[in-house]
Amino acid sequence: MLFDTHAHLDQEDFDNDRDEVIARAHDAGVSEIVTIGTSASTSAICVELATRYDGLYAAVGIQPNSVAEAAEGDWNQILILAAQPGVVAIGETGLDRHWDFSPFDLQQDYFDRHLRLSSDRNLPFIVHMRDCDQDILEMLREARQRGPLNGVMHSFTGSTEMAVECVEMGLYISFAGMVTFKKSEELRRVAASIPDDRILIETDSPYLSPHPVRSQRRNEPSNVRHTAICLAEVRGCSLEAFAAQTTANAKRLFLSQSPKP
Ligand code: NI
């Protein structure tokens, strides 16, 4: 059994065939999926989807590239959604210096709010990182001073050193389809170094389909199997063992918390 820890099933790419996409995932052995909000409105859709499908869970938050568009009241909406059934995480949050969609200090403000909400509600957080490893580490270290951290570095693209520090701070490291690409030798080396009990896999659907289905314009949760096959090989274990390990890790992170209202 596999667990896709990061998908955006609310997106309109899936409006025509969401039932089939989720059925295909189940047929491919993907028994659990977390669908992730990037704004107040998409988070609300994720929560609604989680009530409708077996094995589907929701994360609620405002993604760093969307924080400039957040309206008055949107953060309050996230606070309300975070207490709904089926919500297993806060995010996605984080920082992004690649796109220039939101002022950086506003991104930092929202990242901080998500980190505090995670600890207040006892729900793990989901971190998006792009071209700002040091800024992310600084804020995580600061949050760590306040108390234990519980969360995941999603679609990890950092160095081995960064992964080691994140694991030491209590975090999980999740790999998406990019790790399967031919040029991603370095990232595969990082993935090989993650402790057995801290590694996760995800599709980040509908983005970046993994090899060998990279030409599929729309990625979907059933494809998490390809990332699992690649990483099992890189880590020198069987697909069955790697699937069992990553699924147990995801369940420990997302499904064994008792959220506080
Ligand atoms: Ni995402």
Side-chain angles (χ1 to χ4, degrees):
M1 287 308 208
L2 296 160
F3 193 135
D4 182 0
T5 63
H6 198 112
H8 297 278
L9 295 183
D10 60 284
Q11 297 210 354
E12 56 186 34
D13 304 62
F14 296 110
D15 281 354
N16 291 328
D17 62 348
R18 195 169 280 110
D19 289 353
E20 287 90 331
V21 165
I22 291 170
R24 259 199 302 278
H26 290 173
D27 289 347
V30 182
S31 47
E32 275 96 12
I33 305 166
V34 183
T35 184
I36 321 282
T38 57
S39 64
S41 58
T42 58
S43 293
I45 300 172
C46 288
V47 170
E48 198 269 317
L49 290 175
T51 65
R52 219 186 311 154
Y53 296 96
D54 262 2
L56 185 63
Y57 301 90
V60 299
I62 306 180
Q63 212 259 9
N65 294 316
S66 300
V67 295
E69 293 164 15
E72 183 91 26
D74 279 6
W75 179 247
N76 214 32
Q77 188 63 29
I78 296 295
L79 299 181
I80 293 164
L81 288 170
Q84 297 301 305
V87 174
V88 297
I90 302 299
E92 60 185 274
T93 182
L95 300 171
D96 192 319
R97 283 195 189 273
H98 180 77
W99 302 107
D100 196 17
F101 294 154
S102 308
F104 202 70
D105 58 343
L106 191 63
Q107 294 186 35
Q108 289 171 313
D109 171 36
Y110 272 90
F111 187 19
D112 185 61
R113 294 188 204 193
H114 286 81
L115 292 171
R116 289 173 192 271
L117 181 60
S118 155
S119 90
D120 288 353
R121 301 290 175 90
N122 196 32
L123 286 170
F125 56 82
I126 298 171
V127 178
H128 163 104
M129 50 182 279
R130 188 123 189 229
D131 298 349
C132 54
D133 300 11
Q134 288 313 313
D135 306 279
I136 293 265
L137 280 173
E138 264 170 44
M139 287 194 59
L140 290 174
R141 286 177 196 135
E142 187 194 304
R144 180 68 190 84
Q145 300 298 313
R146 299 194 294 265
L149 298 185
N150 183 25
V152 54
M153 305 300 291
H154 123 75
S155 192
F156 189 76
T157 52
S159 63
T160 303
E161 296 68 40
M162 183 179 189
V164 167
E165 183 169 353
C166 289
V167 166
E168 279 170 3
M169 284 193 283
L171 304 180
Y172 290 75
I173 311 291
S174 179
F175 294 90
M178 204 185 299
V179 78
T180 67
F181 297 171
K182 192 158 184 270
K183 59 160 192 218
S184 302
E185 294 267 337
E186 184 54 40
L187 192 56
R188 280 190 287 279
R189 262 194 294 278
V190 176
S193 77
I194 307 299
D196 287 345
D197 61 348
R198 294 306 183 85
I199 187 165
L200 299 175
I201 48 176
E202 63 174 272
T203 56
D204 205 7
S205 304
Y207 310 108
L208 289 184
S209 297
H211 173 80
V213 293
R214 199 174 169 183
S215 58
Q216 266 180 26
R217 213 178 43 81
R218 183 191 70 174
N219 195 7
E220 63 175 67
S222 61
N223 289 334
V224 79
R225 167 168 292 272
H226 298 297
T227 302
I229 290 168
C230 166
L231 288 182
E233 193 187 324
V234 162
R235 294 168 63 84
C237 67
S238 70
L239 175 60
E240 291 69 26
F242 185 69
Q245 215 166 63
T246 47
T247 298
N249 292 344
K251 287 184 172 174
R252 192 184 319 116
L253 177 65
F254 292 116
L255 306 184
S256 70
Q257 324 281 334
S258 352
K260 284 187 264 174

